[in-house]
Amino acid sequence: MQRFLALAAFVPATLAQTYYGCYTEIPARALTGSSVIDYTTMTLADCETHCTDLEFDIWGLEYGGECYCGNALAQGSFPAFATDCTMPCPGDETLATVCGGPNRLSLYGTSAEPPTVTPYPHDPVTETQYEGCWTEVSGGRALAGATAFSLSAMTTADCGAYCLHSGFTWFGLEYGAECYCGGALNVNSTVAVETDCAMPCSGAPAEVCGGSNRLSVWRWVAPVVEGPEVPDEE
Ligand SMILES: *[C@@H]1O[C@H](CO)[C@@H](O)[C@H](O)[C@H]1NC(C)=O
């Protein structure tokens, strides 16, 4: 009996804790409830304890030692590439646990369901359409909005989701691992021969992710509405 009591004293009040993934930070903070920063001793448990003691449902670890709590994600925070979160938690001697990354949150919470995401505003689009292989521009970017990289997890769908969540309807994949977003292609980008785009995507070898200075360009479009046939006038 005594043995059970002794054990119970060491078992923390366990909450249902779910890892939701690696999420983007925003300049004004994705989680604004409370924060604690410690670049030398932070652990996943420290952040969970800090946030749940204050009765927050969601918490995220960023840049190794930063812990943020909240009950909802601010607009503009959304799932990023898993490989963006790779900074070890400094308080874990094994360095086996991950505490986010630069501008990325390893996001946890008490609910089994991930929190609602509110993307940046964008047109009501639902489908992607391939626009061809296009040249990169010198001294700039063919698509100059948001940027994402992943040496092991880049896919066409993930780049498309990343760009749409960032508020951009055009997206392009370059050099196998790079994702660029924009509102339109730079006027100096020109269509290239299709065979110039031949590099496999780092996260999906069967997909093409551009080439050297070449982008596989896609665009989000509204669904095609099947309307009634318009009769010929005559
Ligand atoms: C297009 O190229 C011209 C000539 O190099 C340059 O002056 C101009 O700024 C470029 N336009 C854009 C939008 O980058």
Side-chain angles (χ1 to χ4, degrees):
M1 189 64 201
Q2 209 160 12
R3 187 160 167 254
F4 283 120
L5 285 174
L7 273 177
F10 286 103
V11 176
T14 44
L15 290 149
Q17 184 215 75
T18 308
Y19 176 59
Y20 302 130
C22 184
Y23 279 60
T24 59
E25 180 59 286
I26 61 166
R29 295 292 168 210
L31 295 167
T32 56
S34 174
S35 66
V36 57
I37 293 177
D38 186 331
Y39 295 113
T40 54
T41 68
M42 183 67 70
T43 63
L44 294 181
D46 287 349
C47 184
E48 176 182 353
T49 302
H50 174 80
C51 294
T52 55
D53 280 357
L54 296 170
E55 300 192 347
F56 288 107
D57 298 329
I58 306 168
W59 57 97
L61 295 110
E62 180 173 345
Y63 208 69
E66 304 172 12
C67 166
Y68 299 96
C69 328
N71 289 321
L73 281 180
Q75 182 176 42
S77 178
F78 53 81
F81 292 87
T83 48
D84 289 358
C85 284
T86 54
M87 293 184 77
C89 302
D92 176 356
E93 281 167 24
T94 70
L95 300 183
T97 48
V98 173
C99 280
N103 281 312
R104 293 292 184 270
L105 293 152
S106 294
L107 197 71
Y108 290 84
T110 54
S111 166
E113 295 302 315
T116 302
V117 163
T118 312
Y120 286 119
H122 59 73
D123 295 340
V125 289
T126 55
E127 291 167 17
T128 57
Q129 177 174 295
Y130 181 62
E131 297 288 336
C133 183
W134 290 72
T135 62
E136 187 56 280
V137 298
S138 56
R141 286 289 169 200
L143 292 166
T147 304
F149 300 93
S150 180
L151 289 173
S152 61
M154 184 58 64
T155 67
T156 306
D158 285 350
C159 176
Y162 179 87
C163 289
L164 192 63
H165 281 136
S166 302
F168 298 102
T169 51
W170 287 77
F171 62 102
L173 298 115
E174 184 172 342
Y175 213 72
E178 306 170 4
C179 168
Y180 297 99
C181 320
L185 274 170
N186 185 302
V187 291
N188 291 336
S189 177
T190 55
V191 74
V193 292
E194 199 55 35
T195 47
D196 279 5
C197 283
M199 291 184 80
C201 299
S202 64
E207 295 179 13
V208 174
C209 277
S212 178
N213 281 313
R214 294 291 183 275
L215 294 101
S216 299
V217 174
W218 296 77
R219 186 161 61 102
W220 281 97
V221 294
V224 178
V225 179
E226 297 285 332
E229 292 279 312
V230 178
D232 286 340
E233 278 180 52
E234 241 166 306

